[in-house]
Every structure is written in structure tokens, then in C-alpha cells.
Amino acid sequence: MANKLRIHSIKMTEASKSGHPTTCSSIAEIITVLFFHRSGMHYNVTNPKDLNSDRLVLSKGHAAPIYFAAWAEAGNFNPEKLLTLRKIDSDIEGHPTPKLPFVDVATGSLGQGICNAVGMAYAAKYFEKGNSRVYCICGDGEMAEGSCWEAIATAAKY
């Protein structure tokens, strides 16, 4: 599955003449375990906003093509739609945005995703009282941002 997701990512970025296929490829195994292994995320593919569904915040926003490919392969939408990446009339944009039912927060600004993920996890634990987990994939460059480490310290406390 990891290689299938890589191939989708390469085809998507080639079709759009834009994107970061190597960034996608670098997290293919992580995405595959999260989406397709029993030890990974638990989610309702047709209703990702279900309070008991786990969440994934892709702070590494440039890797959006592989994230979209995983949702397509999981059955959320037809994989043929993947080739509309970054087209003017497509809701599959260059970064994850909440236009899509499985995206909770827009990401792209360095450090933004982990901060949102920690807030989502806090809300899930203390307000929603559900069983959901929140995962976040960060890029190496954003880990130099102080806001990331403040969020991680908050996560460790709560």
C-alpha cells in the first residue's frame, strides 16, 4: 500500500505540474500504518467527523497528495478524483483544507498543525469525553519553531 500511495502522489503532482512527491514518499509507511493497519487509526470512512473517529492532522502540509490518496484508497472518494489536484474547480488543493470532510484544520504554516492537534486532543479528552486519538505528522523544518515545542510540552502535561 505504501508504494501504491507513492505512485498516486507522483501521478497527482505530475498531473498538476506542482507539488512535492518526495515529501509524500517520505511518509508513505507512516500513512499506510495509520490508515490500513489494525494498530493504526480507527475511523469511520464515510463519516470522518464522528466523535469516536481518530484524527490525523497533517502539519507537513506539502504532503497533502499522499494524505488525499490514503483517504481515496480507504474508500472516502473515487481515486480518479486524485488527478484533479490543484485544478481550479477541485476541492483537492495543494494543502489540506476543511473543504474536505476528513480535514479538521488547514495546515501549511510551519508549526500550525501540531498546535491544532494538541488542542483537538485536549478537547477530545476533556470536553467530548470520547475514545478518539489525534495523530499529527510534522516536517523536519517546522520542528525548529518554538510553537511546536510549546505544543509538545502542553501535550506531555495533559
Side-chain angles (χ1 to χ4, degrees):
M1 181 55 77
N3 283 335
K4 189 174 193 177
L5 297 177
R6 282 185 181 96
I7 291 166
H8 278 310
S9 299
I10 291 165
K11 287 181 177 179
M12 293 166 70
T13 55
E14 177 58 28
S16 70
K17 302 290 186 221
S18 178
H20 304 268
T22 56
T23 297
C24 296
S25 293
S26 73
I27 62 168
E29 283 77 16
I30 295 169
I31 291 284
T32 298
V33 169
L34 287 174
F35 275 85
F36 304 106
H37 193 272
R38 69 183 181 291
S39 67
M41 295 191 319
H42 300 94
Y43 56 93
N44 181 338
V45 73
T46 58
N47 182 18
K49 299 282 189 203
D50 182 312
L51 289 180
N52 291 313
S53 285
D54 293 342
R55 304 286 197 268
L56 172 59
V57 176
L58 187 66
S59 192
K60 184 177 175 160
H62 286 104
I66 201 162
Y67 180 57
F68 300 149
W71 276 107
E73 285 296 331
N76 186 272
F77 62 92
N78 187 327
E80 291 177 11
K81 185 177 179 179
L82 293 171
L83 295 178
T84 68
L85 175 73
R86 295 185 177 214
K87 301 279 189 265
I88 193 74
D89 58 346
S90 177
D91 54 359
I92 300 177
E93 299 183 36
H95 286 250
T97 64
K99 282 185 188 178
L100 298 165
F102 49 83
V103 177
D104 292 293
V105 295
T107 59
S109 297
L110 294 179
Q112 177 181 351
I114 186 72
C115 296
N116 282 299
V118 169
M120 290 165 58
Y122 184 91
K125 181 176 182 178
Y126 293 103
F127 298 112
E128 296 166 359
K129 310 281 190 201
N131 295 327
S132 65
R133 298 173 292 178
V134 179
Y135 296 87
C136 184
I137 299 176
C138 298
D140 59 344
E142 70 184 310
M143 296 311 296
E145 297 291 325
S147 59
C148 290
W149 295 104
E150 291 170 9
I152 290 167
T154 299
K157 180 176 180 179
Y158 295 101

